[in-house]
Coordinates of all heavy atoms in Angstrom, one line a residue:
Y255 N -8.2 39.5 26.3 CA -8.9 40.2 27.4 C -8.2 39.9 28.7 O -7.9 40.7 29.5 CB -10.3 39.8 27.5 CG -11.1 40.4 28.6 CD1 -11.4 41.8 28.6 CD2 -11.5 39.7 29.7 CE1 -12.0 42.4 29.6 CE2 -12.1 40.3 30.7 CZ -12.4 41.6 30.7 OH -13.1 42.2 31.7
L256 N -7.8 38.6 28.9 CA -7.1 38.2 30.1 C -5.7 38.9 30.2 O -5.3 39.4 31.3 CB -6.9 36.7 30.2 CG -8.1 35.9 30.3 CD1 -7.8 34.4 30.2 CD2 -8.8 36.2 31.6
V257 N -5.0 39.1 29.1 CA -3.7 39.8 29.1 C -4.0 41.2 29.5 O -3.2 41.8 30.3 CB -3.0 39.6 27.8 CG1 -1.9 40.6 27.6 CG2 -2.6 38.2 27.5
I258 N -5.0 41.9 28.9 CA -5.3 43.3 29.2 C -5.6 43.5 30.6 O -5.2 44.4 31.3 CB -6.5 43.8 28.3 CG1 -6.0 43.9 26.8 CG2 -7.0 45.1 28.8 CD1 -7.1 44.2 25.8
V259 N -6.4 42.6 31.2 CA -6.8 42.7 32.7 C -5.5 42.6 33.5 O -5.3 43.4 34.4 CB -7.8 41.6 33.1 CG1 -7.9 41.5 34.6 CG2 -9.1 41.8 32.4
N260 N -4.6 41.7 33.2 CA -3.4 41.6 34.0 C -2.5 42.8 33.8 O -1.8 43.2 34.7 CB -2.7 40.3 33.6 CG -3.3 39.1 34.2 OD1 -3.6 39.0 35.4 ND2 -3.7 38.1 33.4
V261 N -2.4 43.3 32.6 CA -1.5 44.4 32.3 C -2.1 45.7 33.0 O -1.3 46.5 33.6 CB -1.4 44.7 30.8 CG1 -0.8 46.1 30.5 CG2 -0.6 43.6 30.1
C262 N -3.4 45.8 33.1 CA -4.0 46.9 33.8 C -3.6 46.9 35.3 O -3.3 47.9 35.9 CB -5.5 46.9 33.6 SG -6.0 47.5 32.0
F263 N -3.6 45.7 35.8 CA -3.3 45.6 37.2 C -1.8 45.8 37.5 O -1.4 46.4 38.5 CB -3.7 44.2 37.8 CG -5.0 44.2 38.5 CD1 -6.1 44.2 37.7 CD2 -5.1 44.3 39.9 CE1 -7.4 44.2 38.4 CE2 -6.3 44.3 40.5 CZ -7.4 44.3 39.7
I264 N -1.0 45.5 36.5 CA 0.5 45.7 36.6 C 0.7 47.2 36.7 O 1.6 47.7 37.4 CB 1.3 45.1 35.5 CG1 1.3 43.5 35.7 CG2 2.7 45.6 35.4 CD1 1.8 42.8 34.5
F265 N 0.0 48.0 35.8 CA 0.2 49.4 35.8 C -0.7 50.2 36.7 O -0.7 51.4 36.7 CB 0.0 49.9 34.4 CG 1.1 49.5 33.4 CD1 0.8 48.7 32.4 CD2 2.4 50.0 33.6 CE1 1.8 48.3 31.5 CE2 3.4 49.6 32.7 CZ 3.1 48.7 31.7
G266 N -1.4 49.5 37.6 CA -2.2 50.2 38.6 C -3.5 50.8 38.2 O -4.0 51.7 38.8
I267 N -4.0 50.3 37.1 CA -5.3 50.8 36.6 C -6.4 49.9 37.1 O -6.4 48.7 36.8 CB -5.3 50.8 35.0 CG1 -4.2 51.6 34.5 CG2 -6.7 51.2 34.5 CD1 -4.0 51.4 33.0
Y268 N -7.3 50.4 38.0 CA -8.3 49.6 38.6 C -9.7 50.2 38.3 O -9.9 51.4 38.2 CB -8.1 49.7 40.2 CG -6.8 49.2 40.6 CD1 -5.8 50.0 41.0 CD2 -6.5 47.8 40.6 CE1 -4.5 49.6 41.5 CE2 -5.3 47.3 41.1 CZ -4.3 48.2 41.5 OH -3.1 47.8 41.9
S269 N -10.6 49.2 38.2 CA -12.0 49.6 38.1 C -12.8 48.4 38.7 O -12.2 47.3 38.9 CB -12.5 49.8 36.7 OG -12.5 48.6 36.0
D270 N -14.0 48.6 39.0 CA -14.8 47.5 39.6 C -14.8 46.2 38.7 O -14.6 45.1 39.2 CB -16.2 47.9 39.9 CG -16.3 48.9 41.0 OD1 -15.3 49.0 41.8 OD2 -17.3 49.7 41.1
A271 N -15.0 46.4 37.4 CA -15.1 45.3 36.5 C -13.8 44.6 36.4 O -13.7 43.4 36.4 CB -15.5 45.8 35.1
L272 N -12.7 45.4 36.4 CA -11.3 44.7 36.3 C -11.0 43.9 37.6 O -10.4 42.8 37.5 CB -10.2 45.8 36.1 CG -10.1 46.4 34.7 CD1 -9.1 47.5 34.7 CD2 -9.8 45.3 33.7
V273 N -11.4 44.5 38.7 CA -11.2 43.8 40.0 C -12.0 42.4 40.0 O -11.4 41.4 40.4 CB -11.6 44.6 41.2 CG1 -11.5 43.8 42.5 CG2 -10.6 45.8 41.3
V274 N -13.2 42.5 39.6 CA -14.0 41.3 39.5 C -13.4 40.2 38.6 O -13.2 39.0 38.9 CB -15.5 41.6 39.1 CG1 -16.2 40.3 38.8 CG2 -16.2 42.3 40.2
N275 N -13.0 40.7 37.4 CA -12.4 39.7 36.4 C -11.1 39.2 36.9 O -10.7 38.1 36.7 CB -12.3 40.4 35.0 CG -13.7 40.5 34.4 OD1 -14.5 39.6 34.5 ND2 -13.9 41.6 33.8
Y276 N -10.3 40.1 37.5 CA -9.0 39.7 38.0 C -9.1 38.6 39.1 O -8.4 37.6 39.1 CB -8.2 40.9 38.5 CG -6.8 40.5 38.9 CD1 -5.8 40.4 38.0 CD2 -6.4 40.3 40.3 CE1 -4.5 40.1 38.3 CE2 -5.1 40.0 40.6 CZ -4.2 39.9 39.7 OH -2.9 39.6 40.0
S277 N -10.1 38.8 40.0 CA -10.3 37.9 41.0 C -10.8 36.6 40.5 O -10.5 35.5 40.9 CB -11.4 38.4 42.0 OG -10.9 39.6 42.6
L278 N -11.7 36.6 39.5 CA -12.3 35.4 38.9 C -11.2 34.6 38.2 O -11.1 33.4 38.4 CB -13.4 35.8 37.9 CG -14.0 34.6 37.1 CD1 -14.8 33.8 38.1 CD2 -14.9 35.2 36.0
F279 N -10.4 35.2 37.4 CA -9.4 34.5 36.5 C -8.1 34.2 37.2 O -7.4 33.3 36.8 CB -9.2 35.2 35.2 CG -10.4 35.3 34.3 CD1 -10.9 36.5 34.0 CD2 -11.0 34.1 33.9 CE1 -12.0 36.5 33.1 CE2 -12.1 34.1 33.1 CZ -12.6 35.3 32.7
N280 N -7.7 35.0 38.2 CA -6.4 34.8 38.8 C -6.4 34.3 40.2 O -5.4 33.8 40.7 CB -5.6 36.1 38.8 CG -5.3 36.5 37.4 OD1 -5.0 35.6 36.6 ND2 -5.2 37.8 37.1
L281 N -7.5 34.3 41.0 CA -7.4 33.9 42.4 C -8.2 32.7 42.7 O -8.2 32.2 43.8 CB -7.9 35.1 43.3 CG -7.0 36.4 43.1 CD1 -7.6 37.5 44.0 CD2 -5.6 36.1 43.5
S282 N -9.0 32.2 41.7 CA -9.9 31.1 42.0 C -9.2 29.8 41.6 O -9.1 29.5 40.4 CB -11.2 31.2 41.3 OG -12.0 30.1 41.5
F283 N -8.8 29.0 42.6 CA -8.1 27.7 42.3 C -9.1 26.7 41.7 O -8.8 25.8 41.0 CB -7.4 27.2 43.5 CG -6.2 28.0 43.9 CD1 -6.2 28.7 45.1 CD2 -5.1 28.0 43.1 CE1 -5.1 29.4 45.4 CE2 -4.0 28.7 43.4 CZ -4.0 29.5 44.6
R284 N -10.4 26.9 42.1 CA -11.5 26.0 41.6 C -11.6 26.2 40.1 O -11.7 25.2 39.4 CB -12.8 26.3 42.3 CG -13.9 25.4 42.0 CD -15.2 25.7 42.8 NE -15.7 27.0 42.4 CZ -16.5 27.2 41.4 NH1 -16.9 26.2 40.7 NH2 -17.0 28.4 41.2
I285 N -11.6 27.4 39.6 CA -11.7 27.6 38.2 C -10.5 27.1 37.5 O -10.6 26.5 36.4 CB -12.0 29.1 37.9 CG1 -13.4 29.5 38.4 CG2 -11.8 29.4 36.5 CD1 -13.8 30.8 38.1
Y286 N -9.3 27.3 38.1 CA -8.1 26.8 37.4 C -8.2 25.2 37.3 O -7.8 24.7 36.3 CB -6.8 27.2 38.2 CG -6.3 28.5 37.9 CD1 -5.8 29.4 38.9 CD2 -6.3 29.0 36.6 CE1 -5.4 30.6 38.6 CE2 -5.8 30.3 36.3 CZ -5.4 31.1 37.3 OH -4.9 32.3 37.0
R287 N -8.6 24.6 38.4 CA -8.8 23.1 38.3 C -9.8 22.7 37.3 O -9.6 21.8 36.5 CB -9.2 22.6 39.7 CG -9.2 21.1 39.8 CD -9.5 20.6 41.2 NE -11.0 20.8 41.4 CZ -11.5 21.3 42.5 NH1 -10.7 21.6 43.5 NH2 -12.8 21.5 42.6
L288 N -10.9 23.5 37.2 CA -11.9 23.2 36.2 C -11.4 23.4 34.8 O -11.6 22.5 33.9 CB -13.1 24.1 36.4 CG -14.3 23.9 35.4 CD1 -14.9 22.6 35.6 CD2 -15.3 25.0 35.6
L289 N -10.6 24.5 34.6 CA -10.1 24.7 33.2 C -9.0 23.6 32.9 O -8.9 23.2 31.8 CB -9.5 26.1 33.2 CG -10.5 27.2 33.1 CD1 -9.7 28.6 33.2 CD2 -11.3 27.1 31.9
G290 N -8.2 23.3 33.9 CA -7.2 22.2 33.6 C -7.8 20.9 33.3 O -7.4 20.2 32.4
T291 N -8.9 20.5 34.0 CA -9.6 19.3 33.7 C -10.2 19.4 32.3 O -10.2 18.4 31.6 CB -10.7 19.1 34.8 OG1 -10.1 19.1 36.1 CG2 -11.4 17.8 34.5
L292 N -10.8 20.5 32.0 CA -11.4 20.7 30.7 C -10.4 20.5 29.6 O -10.6 19.9 28.5 CB -12.1 22.0 30.6 CG -12.8 22.4 29.3 CD1 -14.0 21.4 29.1 CD2 -13.3 23.8 29.3
I293 N -9.2 21.1 29.8 CA -8.1 21.0 28.8 C -7.7 19.5 28.6 O -7.5 19.0 27.5 CB -6.9 21.9 29.2 CG1 -7.3 23.4 29.0 CG2 -5.7 21.5 28.4 CD1 -6.3 24.3 29.5
L294 N -7.5 18.8 29.8 CA -7.1 17.4 29.7 C -8.2 16.5 29.0 O -7.8 15.7 28.2 CB -6.8 16.9 31.1 CG -5.6 17.4 31.8 CD1 -5.4 16.9 33.2 CD2 -4.3 17.1 31.0
V295 N -9.4 16.8 29.4 CA -10.5 16.0 28.7 C -10.6 16.2 27.2 O -10.7 15.3 26.4 CB -11.8 16.2 29.5 CG1 -13.0 15.7 28.7 CG2 -11.8 15.7 30.9
T296 N -10.5 17.5 26.9 CA -10.5 17.9 25.5 C -9.4 17.3 24.7 O -9.5 16.7 23.6 CB -10.5 19.4 25.3 OG1 -11.6 19.9 26.0 CG2 -10.7 19.8 23.9
G297 N -8.2 17.3 25.3 CA -7.0 16.7 24.6 C -7.1 15.2 24.5 O -6.8 14.7 23.4
A298 N -7.7 14.6 25.5 CA -7.9 13.1 25.4 C -8.9 12.8 24.3 O -8.7 11.9 23.5 CB -8.3 12.6 26.8
L299 N -10.0 13.5 24.3 CA -11.0 13.3 23.3 C -10.5 13.5 21.8 O -10.8 12.7 20.9 CB -12.3 14.2 23.5 CG -13.1 13.8 24.7 CD1 -14.2 14.8 24.9 CD2 -13.7 12.4 24.6
I300 N -9.7 14.6 21.7 CA -9.2 14.8 20.4 C -8.2 13.7 20.0 O -8.2 13.3 18.8 CB -8.5 16.2 20.3 CG1 -9.5 17.3 20.4 CG2 -7.6 16.4 19.1 CD1 -9.0 18.7 20.6
S301 N -7.4 13.3 20.9 CA -6.4 12.2 20.6 C -7.2 10.9 20.2 O -6.8 10.2 19.3 CB -5.5 11.9 21.8 OG -4.8 13.1 22.1
I302 N -8.2 10.6 21.0 CA -9.0 9.3 20.7 C -9.6 9.5 19.3 O -9.6 8.5 18.5 CB -10.0 9.1 21.8 CG1 -9.3 8.7 23.1 CG2 -11.0 8.0 21.4 CD1 -10.2 8.6 24.3
Y303 N -10.2 10.6 19.1 CA -10.9 10.8 17.8 C -9.8 10.7 16.6 O -10.1 10.1 15.6 CB -11.6 12.2 17.7 CG -12.1 12.5 16.3 CD1 -13.3 11.9 15.9 CD2 -11.5 13.4 15.5 CE1 -13.8 12.2 14.7 CE2 -12.0 13.6 14.2 CZ -13.1 13.1 13.8 OH -13.6 13.3 12.6
G304 N -8.7 11.3 16.8 CA -7.6 11.2 15.8 C -7.2 9.8 15.5 O -7.0 9.4 14.3
V305 N -7.0 9.0 16.5 CA -6.6 7.6 16.3 C -7.7 6.8 15.6 O -7.4 6.1 14.6 CB -6.2 7.0 17.7 CG1 -6.1 5.5 17.5 CG2 -5.0 7.6 18.3
V306 N -8.9 7.0 16.0 CA -10.0 6.3 15.4 C -10.2 6.7 13.9 O -10.4 5.9 13.0 CB -11.3 6.5 16.2 CG1 -12.6 6.1 15.4 CG2 -11.3 5.9 17.5
H307 N -10.0 8.0 13.7 CA -10.2 8.5 12.3 C -9.1 8.0 11.4 O -9.3 7.6 10.3 CB -10.2 10.1 12.4 CG -10.5 10.7 11.0 ND1 -11.7 10.6 10.4 CD2 -9.7 11.5 10.2 CE1 -11.7 11.3 9.3 NE2 -10.5 11.8 9.2
I308 N -7.8 8.0 11.9 CA -6.7 7.5 11.1 C -6.9 6.0 10.8 O -6.7 5.5 9.7 CB -5.4 7.8 11.8 CG1 -5.1 9.3 11.7 CG2 -4.2 7.0 11.2 CD1 -3.9 9.7 12.5
R309 N -7.3 5.2 11.8 CA -7.6 3.8 11.5 C -8.7 3.6 10.5 O -8.6 2.7 9.6 CB -7.9 3.1 12.8 CG -6.7 2.9 13.7 CD -7.1 2.1 14.9 NE -6.0 1.9 15.8 CZ -6.0 1.4 17.0 NH1 -7.2 1.0 17.5 NH2 -4.9 1.2 17.7
R310 N -9.7 4.4 10.6 CA -10.8 4.3 9.6 C -10.3 4.6 8.2 O -10.7 4.0 7.2 CB -12.0 5.2 10.0 CG -13.2 5.0 9.2 CD -14.4 5.9 9.6 NE -14.1 7.3 9.7 CZ -14.2 8.1 8.7 NH1 -14.7 7.7 7.5 NH2 -14.0 9.4 8.8
L311 N -9.5 5.7 8.1 CA -8.9 6.0 6.8 C -8.0 4.9 6.2 O -8.0 4.6 5.0 CB -8.1 7.3 6.9 CG -9.0 8.6 7.0 CD1 -8.1 9.8 7.2 CD2 -9.9 8.8 5.9
K312 N -7.2 4.3 7.1 CA -6.4 3.2 6.7 C -7.2 2.0 6.2 O -6.9 1.4 5.1 CB -5.4 2.7 7.8 CG -4.3 3.7 8.0 CD -3.4 3.2 9.1 CE -2.2 4.1 9.4 NZ -1.4 3.6 10.5

Side-chain angles (χ1 to χ4, degrees):
Y255 180 71
L256 292 175
V257 168
I258 289 171
V259 168
N260 284 308
V261 168
C262 286
F263 264 81
I264 289 171
F265 289 115
I267 302 169
Y268 300 104
S269 73
D270 291 339
L272 285 176
V273 170
V274 168
N275 287 318
Y276 186 80
S277 297
L278 176 68
F279 291 120
N280 288 328
L281 299 178
S282 176
F283 292 112
R284 185 177 65 86
I285 289 185
Y286 278 139
R287 188 178 70 224
L288 178 68
L289 288 175
T291 304
L292 182 66
I293 290 169
L294 290 175
V295 168
T296 304
L299 289 175
I300 289 171
S301 299
I302 291 169
Y303 174 77
V305 168
V306 169
H307 188 65
I308 289 173
R309 286 184 179 171
R310 187 174 58 86
L311 287 176
K312 285 182 179 180

